[in-house]
Amino acid sequence: MSTDSGKPASSENTPIALPTEVAGSGRLDRLVDSARDYARSAASDNTLKAYARDWAHFTRWCRLKGAEPLPPSPEMIGLYLADMAAPSGKAPALRVSTIERRLSGLAWNFAQRGLTLDRKDRHIASVLAGIKRRHARPPVQKAAIMAEDIRAMVACLPFDLRGLRDRAILLIGYAGGLRRSEIVSLDHGKDDTPDSGGWIEILDGGVLLTLNAKTGWREVEIGRGSSEQTCPVHALEQWLHFAKIDFGPIFVGTSRDGKKALERRLNDKHIARLIKRCVLGAGVRFDLPENERLALFSGHSLRAGLASSAEVDERYVQKQLGHASAEMTRRYQRRRDRFRVNLTKAAGL
């Protein structure tokens, strides 16, 4: 098991291995490889990349301070947290959420090397608590794409193959309250590809999505709309028909001339770029400068839009978004009747 201080944990130095007292064999070696594959699947690729960047940042900071990153030193990590919150040089101060994420990344990287980072140690816990108390701010939320916005956005798309695909992406993502990764990970059928994150089943009443999502397996029902122009199920059917997709990834790239669907699954960054492009094309929030409009909307704007626009019982929205609590769902509701229940009057005042 490698403990190289300058390299992030990877499949080559993962702690999944045979005990030293056990003699290797072909069968056992294959089991070790399988176990390593499962260990790599414990976190998403994006999470692993973020943890790798966290480790690279920490080891570079240690080198600049003349310290060693291994073994974990609560005292040094406390100083590292303080330097991120109030840097002495020209580097900008990091947000509390970023600092917490980097601390989680360090804990993960230490664990891959068979080491434990005690986050409750006073040198870490007290410094982090002080940073939160002094610097914490309400989370900056992306703007919700409301119903009138999504209608304008899909209306600005062309009706070529690429436009059919992007229209289906926006409408399915909006009506399903899906994350970017959930949209692009969909396959046509179960077990079509090894990297599938779920599959679809088109029924008379709509489309049923079975998703292996961030919070585990869940089903998402997307009913048919009142108009073909904005019906997510119709848009999906049109894309699948003209792209001739009946197996494998649903949302794939197209040829340069836009006339042929390719086999390559889209990257989730395509969703963010598509949303920003359509926000500009449809004139959403035209009262703001272009750079502010681009910064205001992202992939999460689709989920927030559904939560804010759907005039139904909150429990149904919570189920659609896959949230464990109603409180999390309320964080996505950008526009709601905050004073529908007036406790002041109910208390007799």
Side-chain angles (χ1 to χ4, degrees), residues 123-134:
H123 294 93
I124 298 175
S126 59
V127 171
L128 185 59
I131 291 173
K132 288 181 179 180
R133 184 176 179 85
R134 185 176 299 182

Side-chain angles (χ1 to χ4, degrees), residues 214-271:
K214 184 177 180 180
T215 54
W217 285 99
R218 81 178 197 273
E219 289 185 345
V220 173
E221 301 173 5
I222 300 178
R224 296 185 182 273
S226 56
S227 167
E228 282 193 353
Q229 285 70 34
T230 57
C231 174
V233 184
H234 178 74
L236 179 62
E237 290 173 327
Q238 290 289 99
W239 159 246
L240 294 176
H241 173 72
F242 287 103
K244 298 180 174 62
I245 294 176
D246 56 10
F247 181 86
I250 286 180
F251 295 119
V252 296
T254 58
S255 58
R256 288 189 176 183
D257 59 10
K259 295 181 179 180
K260 181 182 179 181
L262 307 177
E263 295 181 359
R264 184 185 70 255
R265 189 188 302 276
L266 285 178
N267 187 286
D268 67 344
K269 293 180 180 178
H270 173 83
I271 311 297

Side-chain angles (χ1 to χ4, degrees), residues 15-24 28 32:
I16 305 298
L18 284 174
T20 55
E21 67 273 12
V22 176
L28 286 176
V32 170

Side-chain angles (χ1 to χ4, degrees), residues 18-19 22-33:
L18 284 174
V22 176
S25 67
R27 180 173 296 179
L28 286 176
D29 289 341
R30 284 192 296 272
L31 288 176
V32 170
D33 290 338

Side-chain angles (χ1 to χ4, degrees), residues 165-178:
R165 178 200 65 194
D166 290 344
R167 186 174 284 101
I169 286 175
L170 289 177
L171 291 172
I172 287 291
Y174 185 83
L178 305 180

Side-chain angles (χ1 to χ4, degrees), residues 10-11 26 48 75 79 85 92-93 100 104 138 162 169-170 172 182 185-186 202 237 244 258 266 273 284-285 293:
S10 66
S11 58
L48 294 177
E75 294 86 353
L79 297 179
E100 289 184 303
S104 297
R162 191 174 292 123
I169 286 175
L170 289 177
I172 287 291
E182 292 172 344
S185 68
L186 283 171
I202 298 178
E237 290 173 327
K244 298 180 174 62
L266 285 178
R273 292 192 295 265
V284 178
R285 292 302 306 271
R293 293 163 68 193

